[in-house]
Amino acid sequence: MIKNYLFVAIRNLQKNLSYVLINTFGLGIALACCITAYLLVAFNIEFDNFHQDEKVDLIYKVHSHYNKTEGDPYQQISAPINLAPNAAMEISGIKRYTRYMKENGYVKNGDDSYSERIAFADSTFFEMFDFPLIHGSHTSFNDRHSIFLSKATATKYFKDENPVGKVLEINFPNQTEIQVTVGGVLEKVPLNNSFVFDMIIRYEHFYDIYDLNSDSWKDWRDPSTLFELTAHNQAANISEQLDKYIERRNKEKTDRVVKSYQLQQFKTYYDREQIQWSQINLPLSITPMIVFLSMALMILLIACFNMTNTSIAMTAKRMKEVGIRKVVGATKWQIVSQFLFETLLIILLSLLVGLVMSNVIVPAFTDMWNLNYGMEDLSGLNLVVTLLILVFFTSLLAGIYPALSSSKFRPVLLLKGNFSVKGSTVLTKALITIQFALSIVVLIAGVVFIQNTKYQEKVKFGFDKDMVLLVNIGSEKEYKVVENDIRSNPDILEIGGTAHSVGWDSYAVPIGIDTAKYEVRHYGVGKKYFDIMGLNLTDGRLFNVESTNDLNSRPLSSGIIFD
């Protein structure tokens, strides 16, 4: 039966190549858009699938809930640096914990030196989470002076050589230098994972680098904290007991008031918009996913309705064929199956076209998002299942009406030749109307996206964004080393150091004006920042570098500003 369906389908499709080409490429473009939109959905659906469910089943993240000085309360996936060790000693039900913090640092190996994303974690990190190794052993992380590298970082510093046992030097922004020994190289870690880093070292170094007191709760650098519990039913009780640390924390850190602590299971989904701050990675925001998925589905509907209309038009040419098949004993469902089978073949051809096109569209799309994530990072099984579901429903949507309408006519009328397919019915009119309406919506959306892009390129932000270059560096010491060399370049008009910059980095701090309190964005900037950035004051005065009252004790050289 299948062989006969295939033979008839190929024969009919060969006779109508223009019909095949129009629908194949039309549906191919639509399916390529759907595959591209699925990339964003899969990023979130498969987030943290890198870690086996059974291994992280009892791991919980600590969420800190804050009372805002104005507006709605908010939460962070973070906790005071001393909360975890204290809780592990004083609260039953906690098997072990790890804290996770990220910091930039300059890593030197011989003559090679690069700025890297360096993570800090407790010795239990590799016991709690799955990170397969290419070289080395997880037990090496028990040595506080060990460092583990990502696959890409190991290749950058050591090419194809096994780096285990090699010594690296790390320079941090506060001019602290440490030496560490490579203990392992990780296999590739996908971007849709809570922990993405170039290198990871023991958390004890964080205490040493910033000279932190193990009894102090004042430090503003709150790590993301994760507990592994002995049982799920302990989570609510532990959350309540964590509240006993709130009074001490709020007493020593008065800038933000913690309302409560809450444990959430490791793989609990949270939209990025719900979390104000986190050291661990978060899934993509749901808003752009909805926008692009809606656009892709509208394009797919347009292609499906187009195929339905062209299939109805093709039906008139095959009425005698249908009549003969019925006379020789074909049932209604055999006729339906034949037409659906032909539709399925076109959809499969369209899928091949869509997959080829997606290899061009996806890289451009992810570059637009600055998202180092592609088809090769998707779960093969999830992708295959999604494509099968997409093919099934697309075939059904595009082919069910032409198949049913072709099978319902009486063979006598078909063979006499006095039967004709009406060129216009209520359904075809509706399909064409919807098709054109969706086309207009997609066209308008496309124009809006393009115009928005042009607007953002030309909009005046109140500072010079075209003639200024921001370069991330490791420390104030390195800034002073390169400053004179940079100034000697005749193409550079001015240079300055800064810890933050407009559109690059900042953090929220509460301030008091008279009796009112407000939360504002804080920028720590260096000398000549206003001149280089072309910022003008509407009121007040610029900083006086000679006045100690205008100076900030924090280092102001996380980046170099060139004009």
Side-chain angles (χ1 to χ4, degrees):
M1 182 66 72
I2 298 297
K3 182 179 179 181
N4 181 61
Y5 286 160
L6 182 61
F7 176 78
V8 175
I10 292 175
R11 184 192 64 188
N12 284 310
L13 294 179
Q14 285 177 335
K15 289 181 180 179
N16 302 283
L17 285 178
S18 59
Y19 162 79
V20 174
L21 291 174
I22 289 171
N23 287 292
T24 296
F25 283 98
L27 281 164
I29 294 171
L31 290 173
C33 293
C34 289
I35 292 170
T36 305
Y38 169 74
L39 193 76
L40 297 181
V41 178
F43 187 95
N44 281 11
I45 291 176
E46 298 170 10
F47 198 85
D48 276 330
N49 281 3
F50 182 73
H51 308 284
Q52 295 297 319
D53 289 342
E54 52 271 18
K55 185 159 187 175
V56 299
D57 183 49
L58 289 170
I59 294 178
Y60 285 76
K61 298 173 288 189
V62 179
H63 286 234
S64 297
H65 293 261
Y66 291 84
N67 282 328
K68 219 170 187 178
T69 52
E70 55 176 315
D72 298 327
Y74 63 93
Q75 59 179 304
Q76 299 181 354
I77 304 180
S78 63
I81 193 171
N82 297 328
L83 184 141
N86 279 275
M89 290 189 297
E90 300 170 2
I91 301 175
S92 62
I94 299 176
K95 181 179 179 181
R96 52 191 170 190
Y97 68 88
T98 188
R99 292 162 295 178
Y100 183 82
M101 174 71 75
K102 290 182 293 186
E103 183 75 83
N104 281 345
Y106 256 85
V107 180
K108 184 178 181 182
N109 177 44
D111 295 330
D112 296 327
S113 183
Y114 302 95
S115 176
E116 307 288 2
R117 296 171 300 176
I118 301 172
F120 299 80
D122 290 290
S123 61
T124 54
F125 183 75
F126 290 116
E127 299 171 12
M128 295 171 64
F129 300 100
D130 289 307
F131 284 94
L133 298 179
I134 300 173
H135 301 295
S137 170
H138 290 120
T139 57
S140 298
F141 207 59
N142 292 328
D143 181 357
R144 63 167 290 170
H145 297 292
S146 67
I147 185 170
F148 280 61
L149 314 178
S150 69
K151 181 179 179 181
T153 305
T155 302
K156 180 164 61 175
Y157 285 95
F158 301 100
K159 307 303 183 216
D160 296 328
E161 183 182 359
N162 182 353
V164 173
K166 299 296 179 65
V167 176
L168 295 173
E169 183 180 292
I170 306 177
N171 185 293
F172 290 96
N174 65 348
Q175 303 183 36
T176 301
E177 294 182 1
I178 63 172
Q179 287 191 336
V180 287
T181 303
V182 178
V185 177
L186 281 62
E187 290 185 3
K188 182 181 178 182
V189 178
L191 189 63
N192 58 339
N193 170 54
S194 289
F195 311 102
V196 177
F197 48 82
D198 299 316
M199 303 175 166
I200 186 167
I201 60 178
R202 287 281 296 274
Y203 204 89
E204 288 84 350
H205 289 292
F206 198 78
Y207 278 94
D208 296 340
I209 292 166
Y210 294 104
D211 194 24
L212 300 180
N213 187 332
S214 60
D215 295 326
S216 175
W217 293 65
K218 291 183 179 180
D219 192 74
W220 55 273
R221 307 172 187 88
D222 290 345
S224 290
T225 300
L226 303 105
F227 290 124
E228 184 174 359
L229 309 186
T230 55
H232 287 297
N233 57 15
Q234 297 283 344
N237 178 52
I238 293 173
S239 293
E240 291 179 4
Q241 293 195 59
L242 289 177
D243 288 348
K244 68 183 181 181
Y245 300 110
I246 292 177
E247 183 179 356
R248 182 176 179 184
R249 184 267 175 209
N250 288 341
K251 184 177 180 181
E252 296 197 32
K253 292 176 67 175
T254 58
D255 55 344
R256 291 191 182 117
V257 178
V258 172
K259 179 182 178 182
S260 64
Y261 294 115
Q262 181 185 22
L263 294 186
Q264 291 288 347
Q265 201 165 7
F266 177 67
K267 289 194 176 183
T268 300
Y269 174 78
Y270 269 88
D271 184 17
R272 183 183 289 269
E273 303 299 327
Q274 297 174 274
I275 308 297
Q276 189 186 72
W277 174 256
S278 173
Q279 286 289 338
I280 63 177
N281 280 2
L282 295 170
L284 299 175
S285 177
I286 197 169
T287 303
M289 286 199 316
I290 293 174
V291 171
F292 286 104
L293 191 59
S294 300
M295 290 282 291
L297 291 177
M298 282 193 286
I299 294 171
L300 182 63
L301 282 176
I302 293 170
C304 286
F305 291 161
N306 180 71
M307 185 173 183
T308 299
N309 285 322
T310 54
S311 296
I312 291 172
M314 294 295 298
T315 300
K317 298 181 179 182
R318 302 182 61 181
M319 289 296 96
K320 287 189 177 181
E321 174 197 335
V322 173
I324 292 172
R325 289 171 68 90
K326 283 194 170 186
V327 168
V328 298
T331 65
K332 176 181 178 179
W333 292 111
Q334 286 176 325
I335 302 295
V336 171
S337 299
Q338 176 66 55
F339 278 84
L340 285 177
F341 190 79
E342 292 176 15
T343 303
L344 178 62
L345 284 182
I346 295 177
I347 302 294
L348 290 174
L349 289 173
S350 303
L351 181 60
L352 293 177
V353 173
L355 287 171
V356 172
M357 289 183 175
S358 63
N359 287 325
V360 177
I361 296 174
V362 167
F365 183 75
T366 53
D367 283 346
M368 179 182 70
W369 281 70
N370 195 24
L371 192 67
N372 188 21
Y373 189 77
M375 298 285 289
E376 67 280 0
D377 297 305
L378 297 173
S379 165
L381 178 61
N382 288 350
L383 180 60
V384 169
V385 171
T386 300
L387 292 178
L388 288 176
I389 293 173
L390 192 61
V391 166
F392 174 77
F393 282 104
T394 303
S395 301
L396 205 60
L397 183 62
I400 190 64
Y401 177 75
L404 289 174
S405 63
S406 300
S407 65
K408 70 179 182 179
F409 303 121
R410 294 171 60 188
V412 174
L413 295 176
L414 295 174
L415 292 175
K416 283 183 178 181
N418 56 1
F419 180 86
S420 63
V421 178
K422 294 181 180 179
S424 178
T425 66
V426 173
L427 179 63
T428 56
K429 288 179 181 179
L431 290 177
I432 291 173
T433 302
I434 295 172
Q435 182 180 344
F436 273 98
L438 290 175
S439 299
I440 292 170
V441 171
V442 172
L443 183 61
I444 292 173
V447 172
V448 170
F449 285 144
I450 293 171
Q451 291 299 111
N452 182 58
T453 301
K454 290 181 178 179
Y455 170 78
Q456 292 189 33
E457 289 176 351
K458 297 179 181 179
V459 67
K460 301 297 183 182
F461 289 101
F463 64 92
D464 191 348
K465 63 184 178 65
D466 297 320
M467 299 298 291
V468 174
L469 178 66
L470 177 65
V471 178
N472 189 32
I473 64 170
S475 66
E476 188 171 357
K477 177 182 177 182
E478 296 207 20
Y479 167 71
K480 292 177 179 178
V481 169
V482 301
E483 182 180 10
N484 290 332
D485 290 336
I486 294 174
R487 287 188 187 279
S488 65
N489 189 322
D491 294 326
I492 297 175
L493 301 178
E494 192 55 85
I495 177 177
T498 183
H500 308 96
S501 185
V502 177
W504 173 53
D505 190 22
S506 67
Y507 63 93
V509 294
I511 63 170
I513 300 178
D514 296 328
T515 58
K517 288 188 177 181
Y518 305 92
E519 190 167 277
V520 299
R521 304 305 301 180
H522 175 275
Y523 292 85
V525 300
K527 293 187 292 185
K528 300 183 179 179
Y529 180 79
F530 282 84
D531 294 334
I532 294 175
M533 294 296 293
L535 293 168
N536 297 313
L537 295 181
T538 57
D539 197 2
R541 64 173 178 83
L542 293 177
F543 298 117
N544 181 2
V545 296
E546 306 299 329
S547 172
T548 57
N549 293 329
D550 285 4
L551 295 181
N552 187 303
S553 59
R554 294 183 61 191
L556 300 179
S557 55
S558 295
I560 304 177
I561 299 288
F562 300 107
D563 187 5

